[in-house]
Amino acid sequence: SLRCGDEVTVCCKRDFYIKFKDIQWDEWIIAPEGYHMNYCMGQCPQHLAGSPGIASSFHATVFNQLKVNGINTATASCCIPTERRPLSMVYFNSQHSIVKTDVPDMIVESCGCT
Amino acid sequence: GSPACASCGLPAMEKDAEQKMMIEIAKQHLLEKLHLKERPNITQTVPKVALLTALRKLHSGRVRQDGTLELENSLPTKDQGYEIVSFADISDSDSGDKASLSLTFQFLQERGKSIQVLQSSLWIYAKLSEDPHRSSRLLARVFLSADEETSDSNRTLVIEKMIEVKESNWHTFPITHTLQTFLDGGQRRLRLEVSCEEGERNLCSFNGSLTKANQPFMVAQVRLRDNHSKHLIRKR
C-alpha cells in the first residue's frame, strides 16, 4: 500500500490525525489522545484494478474477467481501504459514567484498488 | 490543499478549509460510532485519582508514568461491547437503627435499544476495624432499595458476604442479575444500600475523611442486544 505524498496520483493512504486537545474533546474523551482518521485517495487506472491485495474480492474478480475477455468496462476501479483496525476508547457519557469500548474498523491501515 | 476530486466531484479546496471539513467529518464519525447525538458536556469532574483507580480495576488499561492511559483491546466479539464505570451519588441513610451507605446510579437507555449485562460488580472500600477484640471478618450486605424511603420494608437483599476487615481494602459484590433486571424494567435510578455493621459503625460508609480514590463505583460489561435478530429466529 502506498502512503500519499504531497502530489497524489495513484491510490494511496493519506494520514490524518486529530488531537482531541486541539478540538477541546479531551474534556470528555479520557483515552486515546487523538484519532488517526486516515483515508484513501488517488486514481485507480484499469491496469491497477485489483492491486494490491484485494483481488479476492468479488468486484476485482468480475473486473478481471471483463478485462481478460477484452470487454471494455465503463466503470473505473476505486481506491478503498484494504486493512482497518479498531479504536479503543474510554470516555465520559452524558450520565458522567465512564465507558470503554473498542469501535471496530475505525483506523485505515492501508488502501488498494478494487 | 488537495486537487479536485475526480470521482466525487468535490471542488479543489484551500488547505485550511479542507482541514476544517475533515475535522467536522471526524467528529461526526466518532459520535455516530459511539451512538451519541452530541458530545457529552462534563459539568462535574470525577477526581482523576478515583478515575484511574476505577480504570485500573477495569483491567483494561495500563497507567503510564505521566498519568495518561494506555489502552488494551478487549477480546474481539461480534457485537460491539462496552465496559462502563459509574460513580454513584452517595449519601448515608438511616435504615432502621443503623446507618448504611446509600448509592444511587443514573441510567439513560435509548428507546428501542436493550442492553445485555455480561457481568457487573459493585466496588466498595471497607475501612479497617478499630476494635482489636472484634473478629477480623464481618458480614457485608447489599440491598436494592425500591424508592426514596429507606425503611427496611422497602429493601431487598441482593447479596451478602463475609469480608476481611483486618486492613482497609476494596471488596467487590457481583450484581449482574440485579442490574440486568433493573435495566430490563426500563427504570432510570438504581438505588443500592451497603451496610457493613460493626456495632454502631458502618465500615463501608464513605465520608469526607476518605480520599476520593476510595469512592465506591460500579463496573459493568454490557452489549447492545439485537432485538431484530430475535424476530428473525421466530420466522425460522
Side-chain angles (χ1 to χ4, degrees), chain A residues 27 88 95 97-98 100-102, chain B residues 39 73-74 81 83 85 108:
Chain A
E27 294 159 1
S88 287
Q95 286 83 52
S97 294
I98 298 141
K100 178 197 182 282
T101 188
D102 296 330
Chain B
R39 58 147 290 175
N73 274 346
S74 308
E83 288 170 274
V85 176
L108 185 66

Side-chain angles (χ1 to χ4, degrees), chain A residues 17-26 32-35, chain B residues 23:
Chain A
Y17 180 69
I18 294 178
K19 207 170 180 184
F20 292 135
K21 193 186 242 10
D22 295 344
I23 55 174
Q24 289 80 52
W25 272 29
D26 60 331
E33 288 145 14
Y35 171 36
Chain B
I23 287 174

